[in-house]
Amino acid sequence: MLSTSTTPSQRRQAFRAGLASGRLQVFPGAFTPLSIRLIEDKGFDGAYISGAVMAAELGLPDIGLTTLSEVAHRAHQISRMSDLPTLVDADTGFGEPMNVARTVHELEDAGVAGLHLEDQVNPKRCGHLDGKAVVDLDTAVKRIRAAVDARRDPDLVIMARTDIRGVEGMDAAIDRAKALEAAGADAIFPEAMGTLAEFEQMRKAVSVPILANMTEFGKSELFTHQQLADVGVNLVIHPVSLLRIAFGAIERALDTLQSTGTLDGEVAGMQTRGRLYELLDYEAYNAFDAGIYTYNGR
Ligand SMILES: C[C@](O)(C(=O)O)[C@H](CC(=O)O)C(=O)O
Ligand SMILES: [Mg+2]
């Protein structure tokens, strides 16, 4: 009721244990605080908080327009509603190394279990689009060092994302990933890998956990969890999927409403009031009220 029963530190430890478990961790993207309740209810290991989704929900493209305050606020709203560890997209860290340090503090305070910082230049782009540019190695390393040094909770997972594969190719991606690991990154997010063999190559090149981004309409095929586990990937995200699924359904329903004048035919596919209340733990609120208002201590 009201919020999670665990502390951020417990959720960070759970995230680290999951990454070290040898079992693929599956993090669907929670696009709202309510959706993390559903992800938790279905038994997933954690939830991803996507920058692309956050921007889209504000009606903005994912080109670095969202602010640290907006991201931290949303990350807090989502992270506080479940016991699952959350991994948040911190884009390029919102500025220079000192800004990156502040980003880490804000996101730590927001209760996330981990965050990733990427090596794109500002303004950044979706990692699966063409026309991206990356910063030089020194700048990329300084971002990660600043984040690692700023962290107050040693269990906060600092993940380094490299977008260099789509710009300079796989050899450059391997070199950069190694350098980011050496700079203190706890995990590597190799963006826009083309094939399973590339994931495998990356897995062999670094000793920290690696992430696979199974975003739709991107550069990677949508590999199954089994395929990813088989090449040693430690964590998979489905970052924008729930938003795409919801908006696909919403658009179809709006068309139906427009053409038929009723949503009666859509009700069977809707989440019921009962299921919504279950996710909200409505019962517990009733019980709380009953406990307070029926109290007769005299
Ligand atoms: C993972 C990602 O950074 C995100 O913000 O969710 C995006 C996802 C997308 O735009 O499909 C990305 O750059 O891959
Ligand atoms: Mg992003």
Side-chain angles (χ1 to χ4, degrees), residues 48 51-52 62 89 91 124 161:
Y48 180 68
D62 183 20
D89 182 353
D91 286 340
K124 54 139 301 146
R161 161 171 155 175

Side-chain angles (χ1 to χ4, degrees), residues 48-53 62 89-91 116 118 120 124-127 161 189 191 213 239-240:
Y48 180 68
I49 303 175
S50 152
V53 164
D62 183 20
D89 182 353
D91 286 340
H116 65 76
E118 71 203 28
Q120 286 198 48
K124 54 139 301 146
R125 295 274 173 270
C126 161
R161 161 171 155 175
F189 175 167
E191 178 65 316
N213 176 8
V240 194

